Amino acid sequence: MFPAKMLARFNPSTISVPLKRTLSASATADGRQKGRKVILTVITGAAAACGIGIGMNMLRIEADDQLHPPHYHWNHTGILSSLDHASIRRGYQVYKEVCSACHSLNQIAFRNLVGVSHTEEEAKELAESVNIEDGPNEDGEMFQRPGKLSDYFPPPYKNDEEARAANNGSLPPDLSLMNKARHGGEDYMFSLLTGYCDPPAGITLREGLSYNPYFTGGAIGMPQQLFDDMLEYEDGTPCTVSQMAKDVSVFIKWCTEPYFDDKKRMAMKTLIILSFLTGIAWYYKRHKWSVLKTRKLAYKPPVK
């Protein structure tokens, strides 16, 4: 017979609490360790995916069968620089008289030209010079009417099949977003328009194709379009191949980002306002925290 005190020592109720605490602490430690493993696995997988993506991108760039365009110093690349609006006007003339025969500008309306390259009266005159298909009328038929400022530039072809049939199977792309759709932007556009040359030895082109080292594969369905003195600019600027290529590249840059100048102007206003508010916030913080930061804590022992 054991004394009551001895039996109390082996009572399960007296050891259940420490045991539960031990099991709970062990489970918590295991959970933390598993959580760390999961986080480490996710980070490792993300890093591996990024590495694979970068590696594949580098391999794609190295495997590109085209010449990468050089970087040119454009007037609008500076922080405080805007687009050359005179060049935009000349570029529109190049597009209208050369490029619009095959390429469309589905995202640009005549009203977008107002205040950028043309006055309102000039833009209205340009819009009225083209016929826009509208309708149906009261008889259920489509009809032609003079254009308005709200109308978008009419496409040269009714559909993609007609465009391919007129260009030996090649589909001329829309130029509205071409500056963003091609690596290099305006550098690519300028290099492509001025980069036509004879194919190197060993390369044979099919009938109807031209060679351009800046185009993927080198064989392009668009022949050279720009030649010296083929146009006459309104402002008397010499109409060379490089000048026309530069102007139409700037025009397509503006078509891709019609609010390019407005974004820079808004960014400058934002920086000025934020700088002013930062100074006010700094002064207000110094004023409010001066009491806490300049206070002195002293210990005074009790007087016996």
Side-chain angles (χ1 to χ4, degrees), residues 134-210:
D134 202 350
N137 56 15
E138 57 185 8
D139 297 327
E141 299 179 353
M142 306 299 290
F143 61 92
Q144 298 287 330
R145 61 165 177 80
K148 301 181 294 184
L149 284 178
S150 58
D151 293 323
Y152 288 85
F153 288 2
Y157 304 105
K158 295 180 180 180
N159 48 61
D160 294 347
E161 286 70 20
E162 182 182 0
R164 288 191 175 94
N167 293 275
N168 297 322
S170 300
L171 178 63
D174 181 79
L175 299 181
S176 300
L177 303 175
M178 186 56 61
N179 191 268
K180 292 292 187 183
R182 295 294 183 269
H183 174 70
E186 52 267 38
D187 294 332
Y188 169 80
M189 300 298 301
F190 180 85
S191 300
L192 182 72
L193 293 174
T194 59
Y196 285 90
C197 61
D198 296 330
I203 295 181
T204 303
L205 300 177
R206 293 189 293 107
E207 183 180 359
L209 297 180
S210 302

Side-chain angles (χ1 to χ4, degrees), residues 233-255:
Y233 281 141
E234 301 173 351
D235 57 0
T237 303
C239 195
T240 61
V241 172
S242 58
Q243 182 65 49
M244 288 186 291
K246 180 256 184 183
D247 292 335
V248 75
S249 298
V250 174
F251 173 71
I252 295 176
K253 168 70 175 179
W254 170 79
C255 291

Side-chain angles (χ1 to χ4, degrees), residues 107-117 149 152 254 258-259:
Q107 304 296 326
I108 301 299
F110 289 100
R111 57 180 170 80
N112 297 127
L113 300 175
V114 178
V116 177
S117 58
L149 284 178
Y152 288 85
W254 170 79
Y259 304 105

Side-chain angles (χ1 to χ4, degrees), residues 90 93-94 97-98 225-245 247:
R90 294 192 299 267
Q93 182 180 351
V94 176
E97 300 186 20
V98 181
Q225 299 293 318
L226 302 180
F227 301 93
D228 291 335
D229 300 326
M230 65 177 297
L231 301 178
E232 184 177 352
Y233 281 141
E234 301 173 351
D235 57 0
T237 303
C239 195
T240 61
V241 172
S242 58
Q243 182 65 49
M244 288 186 291
D247 292 335

Side-chain angles (χ1 to χ4, degrees), residues 261-302:
D261 294 344
D262 295 335
K263 290 191 298 183
K264 284 193 173 183
R265 189 181 302 109
M266 184 60 65
M268 290 303 302
K269 292 180 180 179
T270 303
L271 290 176
I272 293 174
I273 294 175
L274 287 180
S275 300
F276 180 72
L277 293 179
T278 301
I280 295 178
W282 176 82
Y283 176 80
Y284 184 77
K285 178 258 182 186
R286 295 275 296 181
H287 174 71
K288 287 297 182 180
W289 284 80
S290 61
V291 178
L292 297 177
K293 286 183 174 294
T294 58
R295 68 179 179 175
K296 182 179 180 180
L297 301 178
Y299 173 72
K300 294 183 178 182

